[in-house]
Amino acid sequence: MKLQRVSAIAAREWREIVRDRLFFALAFIVPALLMLLFGYGLSLDVENIPFTVVDYDRSALSRDYSWQFIGSRYFKFQGYSDSESEAGRKLTSGQVRMTLVIPERFGHDLEAPGRAAVQTVIDGTFPSRAMTTRGYVEAINADFSRERLARLPVLSGMKGVVLQSRYLYNQNVSSIRSLAPKLIMVVLMLSPPFLTALGIVREKENGSIFNIYSSDISRGEFLLGKLAPYVAISTFNILTLWCFACLLYQVPFKGDFAFFLLASWIYVLCTTGIGLLVSVLVSTQVAAMIVTLVVTMIPSILYSGLIIPIASLGSGARVVAHIVPAMYYADIVVGCFLKGIGPGALWRQLLVLTAYALILFSLGYALFSKRPRT
Amino acid sequence: MDAPLLTVRDFGKRYGGSDAVCGLSLDIARGELFGLIGPDGAGKSSFMKAVAGVLRFDAGRVQVFGTDIASDTGAESVKSRLGLMPQGLGQNLYGSLSVEENIDFFARLRMVPRDQAERRKHDLLAVTRLAPFAQRPMRQLSGGMKQKLGLACTLIHAPDLIILDEPTTGVDPVSRRDFWGILGDLMESEGLTALVSTAYLDEASRFTRLCLLHQGRALATGTPDEILARAPGAVVQCRVVPQLEAQQRLAPHFPHCEAMGQTLRLFVEGLDREAAGAAVRESLNGLDIETLDTMAPELEDVFLALLGGERAATLPPGQANTPSADEPDAILAQGLTRTFGEFVAVADVSFKVRPGEIFGLLGANGAGKTTAIKMLTGILPPSGGSGSVAGADMRHAGALIKSRIGYMSQAFSLYLDLTVRENIRLYAGLYGLGRQDGDERMRWIIGMAGLAGHEDELAASLPMGLRQRLALGCALVHRPRVLFLDEPTSGVDPLGRRVFWDILFSLSRVDGVAMLVTTHFMSEAEHCDRLALMFAGRIVADASPQELKRQVVAEAGELYQVTTADARGLGKALAASGFPGASPCGRDLRLLSRDGAALAAAVSAHEAGARVETRPIGMEDVFVHLVSRLEAEHGGAA
């Protein structure tokens, strides 16, 4: 192993990255941009649902009932509608996502010993949002009913069970808190393999790889020199993304920073290794981009616990999740940020990632040939 | 003789099921400049990569410096003494790095000690005359400069054997000659051995020994003279009126007969010059023979003779169709000018092309050829001047021009994943031909291009020669009266090239199609009726190839070849005694001189055994002479 050759390759690679606008952007700007776009675009919180009310009753009680919704932070009132068909039009045009229909005699029925009925129509195009909306409607409706019951003198002595729930690790159940750390996982899964695969395949495509093939540099020296700048850039990006999570998205960091850094670095080695493996298997930059996109984007978003918890995946999908490194690093990064746990609880995941990196690099090294068949 | 530096026996390389190279054997001795000559796809690159140890091969034995490179370890062990410059203009260099940074990178990659690397870098930059551009990013260099930088990078670690894959492809003739000169100097001063490939047959005489490669097999191996001796015969060049009838009469008797502009050129196998001349005269009995010269054959003649010389397409019979004098010019350019900001790309260009005339536009890269063509084809409006193409005014009838001309460039015209039939149908559709008309043109194109039997093959699977004829057919689908051809035969083997020019000749003479050809392939230039040379945006010469040659001979004298044992020493001595500009040619020197006797005296004063002979001047000599003179007048561009 001659250090001079390794540094010659690394220095040249570095110069090319910083002088090539596309590569520079890919290395330093795209990761930050992805973090921003995903962060603002992927919010799973359902708030400010636009809604309208068709009040056929127009009594004090019906107004009171409506106000329960109008005053809630989960809903955003878009004015009354005169008829169900008008409300239907608003629903179709997307102006509102929920309508409440209060029938005639609502106030009357409520005062009488019978029961009053209210209809709600919810836009069901996005099932999870619709379910959440229904949950909110039911909760507000239940609150209203309980208050009314409590006012009845007969029941004033009765006490129901009041459920007090507290969410651990993420008190407000705000989705960005759990998302932001996992976004670090996604971005570090996408950016290093892209850079690495394009960097190596570019040389294959334009023929400068023959400078390497035809010289007496060893495979190891070349790969070390070639990959070092990419690992360095990704290491810098770990810090950038960490800052984004802490400062912009205000996610508290409760864990051990040194452990987080070490684990992230090993994860970056893993994903760089994926890029290396892609680059030895394909020979054009277009192919490299497509293959990298497929093998990184889908697993990191669907099989990592980013949106759907691993436990809720089907059994086949769960197997996939276990063979992709994203899930293990997601455990680590969520543990470090939200749970404040460290190597004591996460050493298994770290071990898997290390093994992963070793296997990918060994494969890449074995398959890289200075004397290919074609 | 020392043990050979490179020994190859029965070399074979296969891709998928097909042989790229088969049964190739050769030896290269220390100090040789060995040439591998063949068209695209002949197997040159595969062989060179295998020798450089960067490609596995399937059969045979390859020994470099006496080491067998069948195993990876063997191949690895010789790499420190090898240098490889792969194909492509500067493709293996790093565009965003400066000239100096490129050289420094190769020096560090090759572990050259620092002080030694600095010294060599300095020397190589001086020899290649790149020193003034040391800080310039590689991607801003011209093609010729990129190749010189590539050579410097390949040589930085002082290898014993260098392998250069088509170093002169895509480079203009002046830079090409410059490159050969530098390579000769460096080989001499460093005791180098070089294996160089080229697709240009006219470069063959530059090698000490060479191998003609065709479809993966060696056709002939030896010194240029040995190869010439393989097919004895003579070349007859004559000017006969009417030309078409003469050719139709000669073709059955002489298989190697082709039209070169206004003249006919024949290779007569087996006869000496006198007998060949007599035989041709006899066949032409009754026609008006204006001139008839005989000369020694060139390598291209031998190459074609060795291939068997069977013609794929015979000349279609037809009546010569001399356009009447009152027919308007096919192309007329008057004072065409185009500026881009401050930069004047084309300045005051005027010329005309008659119907049925083949007009060649020559020039180095950046001389303004492409801009001129863009204006003439209606793509780019001129900033000044006027002109008409096929009767349409080029200032405001861009769309009309496009519908009346055909345009063919090897690089872009075909859709490789469509079949022959689909390609033709597509072009017929693009030009708005009806179904019946389209079918008729389809039959015409398939017949003209000799594509019968290939109708349902993918364009990608056709050999280069056929593919190029298909492209020509597609350009002609709407019966244009004017045809633009952009380097139409680059990458095609000599046989395919000859058939292609036969077709163009017949199109021009029988159908009266006017053609404008741009090229820096000198052998293509020879086929034109008239040539215009562009330099720095202007037309600086406009005459027939013969006339241009006569002008250069009148101006600078005859072309002499000096056979010598010490080309480098003699070149310097001649320059000192008033005979500059000698260029190396194999082990010999070539130069233009007006005083043959004085040259012979100067040569024998330096070396008693050296021989001086005259040679017919080629188009490349003309081009290089004219451009060098203009460059000198313009204060010596780099």
Side-chain angles (χ1 to χ4, degrees):
Chain A
M1 182 71 68
K2 297 271 193 267
L3 223 58
Q4 189 191 338
R5 286 199 282 240
V6 177
S7 79
I9 301 274
R12 192 215 72 219
E13 194 66 28
W14 176 255
R15 276 194 184 134
E16 285 206 290
I17 295 168
V18 295
R19 287 182 195 173
D20 185 316
R21 243 182 291 170
L22 177 74
F23 264 74
F24 184 84
L26 215 53
F28 294 103
I29 298 172
V30 169
L33 208 62
L34 280 178
M35 186 79 176
L36 270 178
L37 292 174
F38 271 120
Y40 284 103
L42 243 183
S43 173
L44 300 175
D45 293 335
V46 183
E47 279 181 20
N48 290 325
I49 304 157
F51 79 109
T52 183
V53 178
V54 187
D55 189 353
Y56 290 120
D57 191 39
R58 302 189 190 221
S59 62
L61 267 175
S62 74
R63 257 195 312 278
D64 202 14
Y65 181 78
S66 305
W67 267 104
Q68 300 294 316
F69 290 86
I70 296 169
S72 154
R73 76 175 164 106
Y74 298 109
F75 291 99
K76 193 169 172 210
F77 186 50
Q78 302 287 3
Y80 284 102
S81 299
D82 290 335
S83 64
E84 280 169 87
S85 58
E86 188 192 338
R89 270 197 303 280
K90 287 184 181 170
L91 207 59
T92 314
S93 69
Q95 204 181 334
V96 301
R97 297 230 164 79
M98 188 274 277
T99 62
L100 274 180
V101 185
I102 305 174
E104 276 175 61
R105 304 174 55 82
F106 169 80
H108 181 268
D109 286 351
L110 209 55
E111 300 285 17
R115 44 162 51 183
V118 176
Q119 185 195 26
T120 176
V121 182
I122 298 169
D123 174 354
T125 37
F126 289 96
S128 71
R129 190 179 61 197
M131 297 293 279
T132 314
T133 309
R134 186 181 138 199
Y136 293 154
V137 174
E138 280 174 349
I140 292 173
N141 185 65
D143 254 13
F144 182 82
S145 302
R146 200 172 53 240
E147 259 174 59
R148 287 210 34 98
L149 288 177
R151 270 190 241 155
L152 288 178
V154 195
L155 297 173
S156 62
M158 246 181 93
K159 297 218 166 47
V161 180
V162 178
L163 178 67
Q164 293 259 352
S165 43
R166 180 178 161 232
Y167 293 100
L168 213 52
Y169 313 126
N170 185 358
Q171 260 87 349
N172 308 330
V173 209
S174 115
S175 71
I176 193 63
R177 281 211 172 175
S178 93
L179 258 183
K182 288 183 197 157
L183 282 183
I184 298 181
M185 173 274 292
V186 175
V187 175
L188 290 180
M189 183 67 161
L190 294 180
S191 142
F194 254 89
L195 268 178
T196 311
L198 284 181
I200 297 177
V201 174
R202 177 168 66 163
E203 288 214 45
K204 277 189 179 181
E205 208 172 57
N206 63 23
S208 59
I209 195 78
F210 284 109
N211 300 334
I212 306 306
Y213 290 167
S214 67
S215 75
D216 43 355
I217 187 171
S218 72
R219 284 186 287 172
E221 288 163 351
F222 168 68
L223 291 177
L224 197 61
K226 184 84 188 172
L227 298 181
Y230 294 118
V231 172
I233 288 166
S234 299
T235 310
F236 169 82
N237 280 331
I238 294 174
L239 298 174
T240 318
L241 297 175
W242 183 82
C243 288
F244 264 88
C246 292
L247 302 177
L248 183 70
Y249 296 127
Q250 310 221 312
V251 184
F253 186 84
K254 295 176 181 160
D256 177 349
F257 188 70
F259 173 71
F260 166 76
L261 214 56
L262 174 74
S264 302
W265 195 71
I266 291 175
Y267 178 64
V268 161
L269 287 183
C270 274
T271 57
T272 304
I274 293 177
L276 169 67
L277 203 58
V278 170
S279 74
V280 295
L281 297 176
V282 304
S283 50
T284 63
Q285 293 189 67
V286 174
M289 270 197 296
I290 294 170
V291 173
T292 313
L293 198 70
V294 171
V295 303
T296 59
M297 181 81 107
I298 294 169
S300 67
I301 291 180
L302 295 183
Y303 299 107
S304 62
L306 176 71
I307 300 171
I308 312 152
I310 304 285
S312 333
L313 290 173
S315 59
R318 216 170 321 166
V319 173
V320 175
H322 279 82
I323 50 180
V324 175
M327 179 193 87
Y328 303 98
Y329 181 66
D331 283 352
I332 293 177
V333 82
V334 169
C336 283
F337 268 92
L338 301 179
K339 299 188 186 171
I341 51 177
L346 294 167
W347 63 271
R348 270 190 213 87
Q349 280 87 340
L350 194 66
L351 207 65
V352 173
L353 288 181
T354 314
Y356 223 103
L358 283 174
I359 291 169
L360 283 169
F361 274 86
S362 315
L363 266 177
Y365 178 80
L367 292 175
F368 181 85
S369 167
K370 282 182 67 189
R371 214 176 166 219
R373 293 221 124 259
T374 53
Chain B
M1 200 162 116
D2 300 345
L5 218 60
L6 175 67
T7 310
V8 180
R9 291 289 171 270
D10 297 319
F11 174 87
K13 170 72 194 166
R14 299 172 70 80
Y15 292 107
S18 60
D19 281 319
V21 187
C22 184
L24 185 63
S25 298
L26 48 86
D27 294 298
I28 298 180
R30 185 175 297 280
E32 274 197 290
L33 173 57
F34 192 94
L36 212 54
I37 307 184
D40 288 5
K44 303 187 300 288
S45 286
S46 298
F47 175 68
M48 297 183 109
K49 282 180 185 166
V51 170
V54 299
L55 182 72
R56 258 172 249 268
F57 52 92
D58 303 303
R61 216 178 67 231
V62 179
Q63 283 187 329
V64 186
F65 312 123
T67 307
D68 194 305
I69 61 163
S71 71
D72 283 0
T73 337
E76 226 33 48
S77 72
V78 296
K79 283 181 181 171
S80 63
R81 295 170 61 195
L82 272 183
L84 169 72
M85 181 164 140
Q87 202 175 346
L89 272 183
Q91 285 283 293
N92 70 318
L93 303 175
Y94 304 93
S96 55
L97 268 55
S98 70
V99 167
E100 193 171 7
E101 285 171 334
N102 266 292
I103 299 182
D104 286 342
F105 167 69
F106 278 84
R108 292 182 67 199
L109 178 67
R110 293 300 198 154
M111 305 280 289
V112 183
R114 190 175 287 261
D115 51 335
Q116 201 179 321
E118 284 300 316
R119 212 165 44 239
R120 276 194 75 76
K121 178 171 71 181
H122 181 264
D123 292 348
L124 287 167
L125 283 175
V127 175
T128 51
R129 294 189 292 287
L130 286 172
F133 311 101
Q135 302 310 319
R136 190 181 283 189
M138 186 289 277
R139 71 161 78 89
Q140 291 172 18
L141 299 180
S142 72
M145 283 157 87
K146 282 177 185 163
Q147 293 308 76
K148 291 196 283 185
L149 175 60
L151 184 63
C153 290
T154 309
L155 286 173
I156 191 73
H157 62 292
D160 294 316
L161 172 64
I162 54 171
I163 299 170
L164 312 177
D165 195 357
E166 297 204 16
T168 54
T169 296
V171 180
D172 65 83
V174 178
S175 308
R176 218 147 70 194
R177 187 166 285 197
D178 186 32
F179 184 88
W180 287 113
I182 289 168
L183 180 63
D185 284 349
L186 284 167
M187 287 182 64
E188 191 83 33
S189 61
E190 312 227 332
L192 266 176
T193 308
L195 171 61
V196 184
S197 68
T198 177
Y200 300 106
L201 265 169
D202 46 8
E203 290 188 325
S205 56
R206 300 192 175 280
F207 299 110
T208 52
R209 278 198 318 133
L210 56 109
C211 171
L212 291 179
L213 213 57
H214 185 74
Q215 294 177 352
R217 288 168 193 277
L219 221 52
T221 310
T223 65
D225 288 335
E226 282 166 11
I227 292 180
L228 282 172
R230 292 277 299 273
V235 168
V236 178
Q237 194 150 9
C238 55
R239 195 181 160 109
V240 188
V241 181
Q243 189 189 14
L244 188 67
E245 199 189 330
Q247 195 188 7
Q248 283 165 349
R249 224 194 269 184
L250 288 169
H253 306 290
F254 303 99
H256 307 292
C257 166
E258 56 180 339
M260 307 284 266
Q262 300 292 324
T263 63
L264 293 173
R265 187 180 188 283
L266 302 93
F267 175 55
V268 184
E269 264 184 276
L271 298 180
D272 63 13
R273 285 168 60 169
E274 209 170 317
V280 170
R281 272 179 202 282
E282 196 188 310
S283 303
L284 291 173
N285 193 18
L287 295 178
D288 178 11
I289 303 173
E290 291 185 357
T291 61
L292 190 144
D293 300 313
T294 59
M295 58 196 85
E298 289 169 34
L299 271 165
E300 184 158 344
D301 301 307
V302 175
F303 189 100
L304 288 165
L306 290 175
L307 278 177
E310 90 277 21
R311 271 180 136 81
T314 46
L315 264 185
Q319 283 294 309
N321 194 345
T322 330
S324 57
D326 53 313
E327 209 174 316
D329 290 316
I331 302 176
L332 179 68
Q334 286 174 318
L336 277 187
T337 300
R338 175 70 204 197
T339 52
F340 295 104
E342 291 285 287
F343 176 66
V344 184
V346 170
D348 195 24
V349 161
S350 303
F351 62 86
K352 58 183 178 183
V353 182
R354 298 287 305 153
E357 191 176 29
I358 304 178
F359 181 82
L361 199 55
L362 305 184
N365 292 328
K369 290 186 312 241
T370 308
T371 311
I373 295 290
K374 280 187 176 165
M375 289 193 282
L376 291 169
T377 50
I379 296 169
L380 193 69
S383 351
S386 63
S388 68
V389 176
D393 189 317
M394 53 179 284
R395 272 172 305 180
H396 15 77
L400 194 59
I401 288 183
K402 281 176 215 156
S403 70
R404 288 188 186 172
I405 60 164
Y407 178 82
M408 180 200 152
S409 129
Q410 171 121 26
F412 316 105
S413 0
L414 288 179
Y415 293 84
L416 293 181
D417 44 8
L418 295 184
T419 66
V420 168
R421 216 189 279 276
E422 286 164 343
N423 264 296
I424 300 173
R425 200 164 286 149
L426 173 70
Y427 275 86
L430 287 177
Y431 283 107
L433 266 61
R435 192 175 178 85
Q436 204 179 349
D437 203 11
D439 288 347
E440 191 201 319
R441 292 305 282 167
M442 169 99 65
R443 279 193 297 278
W444 179 85
I445 290 169
I446 287 175
M448 177 275 294
L451 284 164
H454 299 279
E455 291 93 337
D456 295 312
E457 284 175 31
L458 289 183
S461 67
L462 295 177
M464 283 300 260
L466 276 183
R467 204 188 285 179
Q468 170 216 34
R469 275 164 12 221
L470 172 61
L472 176 69
C474 290
L476 289 169
V477 72
H478 57 301
R479 300 187 185 86
R481 304 301 299 155
V482 180
L483 185 59
F484 288 83
L485 301 153
D486 188 9
E487 299 213 9
T489 61
S490 59
V492 179
D493 64 271
L495 201 61
R497 206 150 67 211
R498 179 164 287 185
V499 174
F500 187 75
W501 276 103
D502 279 350
I503 294 172
L504 290 187
F505 178 70
S506 147
L507 277 172
S508 76
R509 298 304 191 266
V510 177
D511 301 305
V513 177
M515 292 174 210
L516 190 148
V517 183
T518 60
T519 186
H520 45 231
F521 239 116
M522 289 303 121
S523 53
E524 279 186 345
E526 302 257 14
H527 282 92
C528 299
D529 293 317
R530 218 148 47 78
L531 287 176
L533 177 65
M534 282 193 82
F535 180 80
R538 292 173 184 279
I539 287 191
V540 292
D542 182 351
S544 72
Q546 288 71 30
E547 180 56 31
L548 281 176
K549 286 179 188 171
R550 268 197 293 280
Q551 280 174 18
V552 170
V553 169
E555 206 175 287
E558 297 274 345
L559 179 69
Y560 291 93
Q561 174 144 347
V562 185
T563 312
T564 167
D566 172 28
R568 195 158 176 257
L570 181 59
K572 280 187 181 155
L574 285 177
S577 47
F579 295 97
S583 76
C585 183
R587 296 193 195 280
D588 303 342
L589 284 177
R590 276 187 176 192
L591 72 164
L592 294 166
S593 169
R594 274 204 283 216
D595 191 346
L599 175 67
V603 168
S604 52
H606 181 81
E607 186 184 326
R611 271 200 335 267
V612 181
E613 293 166 310
T614 58
R615 290 268 161 151
I617 189 167
M619 268 327 288
E620 193 195 295
D621 301 298
V622 172
F623 186 96
V624 171
H625 171 76
L626 291 174
V627 171
S628 319
R629 193 193 67 198
L630 288 161
E631 278 179 351
E633 282 167 12
H634 278 70

